[in-house]
Amino acid sequence: MEFILEASSRHLIFHGAVVLLAALLYGAPYAKAIKSGSAAQVVNSWRVAHQSLCLGAILMFSVAAVLPFLPVSASLKWLIVVSFITSSYAFTIATPLAAITQDRGLAKGGQGWARLVYWGNMTGAWTSLLGAAALLVAAGLSL
């Protein structure tokens, strides 16, 4: 028996792989920050970039595996997919920039790169919440 994944799941897998590669590559500056005795904030920022993006990729792989079993509309599935992909790429940009600029991006009104870190974090947070809410709706509708 052959099982072919829907396009929505294949997109999650592809973009999850891209994010996983970026996350693993962020391990190099994380290790460098530890070895060079960088400030605790810098080390922690690289740890967040490295570890949280690995988890984000695993989340996308997991959702890709479950998505075909949810008997919901294609538009709801694509809302889930686009939300998680957008979130992951926003964090893929914001988290290393936070380490580089030493700005956590938690306060609105920053200047320069700090503004991009803030908006990346906000975009990542809101779209991940949207994806999680849409996934909850899809899971509830499948009961």
Side-chain angles (χ1 to χ4, degrees):
M1 181 175 145
E2 185 176 327
F3 182 75
I4 299 175
L5 282 177
E6 300 169 350
S8 55
S9 288
R10 291 193 311 269
H11 277 270
L12 270 178
I13 293 167
F14 172 77
H15 293 287
V18 171
V19 170
L20 180 60
L21 178 61
L24 294 174
L25 291 173
Y26 293 159
Y30 174 37
K32 182 178 178 184
I34 293 169
K35 288 179 182 180
S36 68
S38 295
Q41 178 184 344
V42 173
V43 173
N44 187 53
S45 293
W46 281 115
R47 179 177 33 251
V48 168
H50 176 58
Q51 292 177 345
S52 66
L53 293 175
C54 285
L55 289 173
I58 292 168
L59 170 68
M60 289 196 286
F61 297 148
S62 301
V63 172
V66 171
L67 213 54
F69 298 102
L70 300 175
V72 296
S73 69
S75 59
L76 182 54
K77 289 181 181 182
W78 279 106
L79 176 62
I80 294 165
V81 168
V82 170
S83 296
F84 284 133
I85 291 172
T86 302
S87 173
S88 293
Y89 282 127
F91 285 132
T92 299
I93 294 167
T95 56
L97 271 179
I100 293 165
T101 63
Q102 297 184 26
D103 188 294
R104 294 183 178 171
L106 299 176
K108 189 175 183 179
Q111 299 297 315
W113 292 112
R115 180 177 289 173
L116 183 58
V117 174
Y118 172 79
W119 283 110
N121 284 335
M122 291 301 104
T123 300
W126 284 109
T127 54
S128 64
L129 285 172
L130 176 61
L135 182 59
L136 178 62
V137 167
L141 290 173
S142 70
L143 293 177

